[in-house]
Amino acid sequence: MDKTPNLDPIKSYFDQRIQQHGASPRGSDWNSETSQNARFEQLLKVVEGDSPFSILDYGCGYGALADFIAKNDYQAEYYGFDILDSAVETARAVHAGKPQRFFIHDKAQVPVCDYVVASGIFNFRGGNSFDAWTEYVTAALDEFNALSRRGFASNFLTKYSDADRMRDDLYYADPLYLFDYCKRNFSKNIALLHDYRLYDFTLIIRKD
């Protein structure tokens, strides 16, 4: 099955959000800063210890995670990557002059980091089928594994969402399927977090 679905509708969808709402949670298609930060808090549970680290924010949008990291006193060198030109341009403008923050559009320039995190990048699948998008997700997890030294984390909308609120163009992942995939392919140390009162879950993969 093709692991590279049509990303043009996804780019268009998020470009419209950032053009309309700018550097704000709604610009990244989140309802509020509170829910956005709640997800960041879960993702950063992948970080172990108090020593400085490097982190790749894969699908960084306008770089909100960089501010969250700074506000919570992590000692991190932050790299943000996004396939959307307008997101990277916005991020570079918003974070201009702030130390240890680098924003990248060219995938060839993405560095290997201690950690990789991805927030919300798989939620909108547009017209791509569920199966094709699942193949795309697992290929991306393989990439996160290759780009991280110590671990990686990603969140997903859950298939256990309320049926009457689910949309046909969103991807509601099976948490048990993805947990099993990560357990079999990446590490024995996997956490599935599904207890933070949002309609999604977070997978934490710590390298053995």
Side-chain angles (χ1 to χ4, degrees):
M1 187 174 293
D2 186 4
K3 295 185 180 181
T4 56
N6 183 11
L7 296 181
D8 288 339
I10 285 78
K11 290 181 180 179
S12 177
Y13 179 84
F14 283 101
D15 184 61
Q16 290 175 12
R17 294 299 177 276
I18 203 162
Q19 296 292 352
Q20 184 176 358
H21 300 291
S24 70
R26 295 195 67 189
S28 293
D29 208 33
W30 295 121
N31 291 330
S32 67
E33 184 176 356
T34 299
S35 65
Q36 179 176 257
N37 287 345
R39 292 174 171 94
F40 291 162
E41 182 179 350
Q42 301 304 315
L43 290 168
L44 289 175
K45 289 180 179 179
V46 71
V47 176
E48 295 185 292
D50 298 323
S51 59
F53 60 89
S54 59
I55 188 166
L56 171 62
D57 183 6
Y58 199 106
C60 63
Y62 66 94
L65 179 61
D67 284 332
F68 185 86
I69 286 171
K71 289 178 182 177
N72 286 274
D73 297 324
Y74 288 97
Q75 301 301 310
E77 186 172 63
Y78 171 95
Y79 294 87
F81 166 74
D82 206 287
I83 62 173
L84 194 62
D85 283 328
S86 56
V88 173
E89 290 170 2
T90 300
R92 286 173 175 168
V94 168
H95 299 273
K98 297 179 181 178
Q100 299 195 89
R101 302 184 190 194
F102 309 94
F103 294 94
I104 304 161
H105 176 64
D106 182 357
K107 185 176 285 192
Q109 297 179 359
V110 173
V112 173
C113 290
D114 293 320
Y115 301 104
V116 175
V117 296
S119 186
I121 70 170
F122 302 116
N123 293 354
F124 183 77
R125 61 181 172 89
N128 293 291
S129 71
F130 178 89
D131 288 342
W133 200 250
T134 300
E135 289 285 322
Y136 175 67
V137 166
T138 54
L141 293 173
D142 293 343
E143 186 175 1
F144 298 166
N145 183 56
L147 288 169
S148 62
R149 285 184 287 264
R150 298 175 62 185
F152 58 99
S154 182
N155 56 34
F156 306 85
L157 296 176
T158 177
K159 77 170 190 175
Y160 298 105
S161 299
D162 294 341
D164 60 341
R165 296 189 178 188
M166 295 171 76
R167 286 168 38 186
D168 291 339
D169 57 354
L170 299 183
Y171 177 70
Y172 298 92
D174 182 340
L176 301 183
Y177 174 82
L178 292 181
F179 176 88
D180 183 73
Y181 183 85
C182 292
K183 193 81 168 176
R184 291 178 183 274
N185 289 280
F186 304 131
S187 174
K188 296 178 181 178
N189 299 314
I190 311 290
L192 169 60
L193 309 178
H194 208 319
D195 62 347
Y196 50 97
R197 305 182 189 280
L198 296 173
Y199 290 98
D200 61 27
F201 64 94
T202 299
L203 281 171
I204 306 289
I205 296 88
R206 297 187 178 94
K207 299 292 185 75
D208 295 328

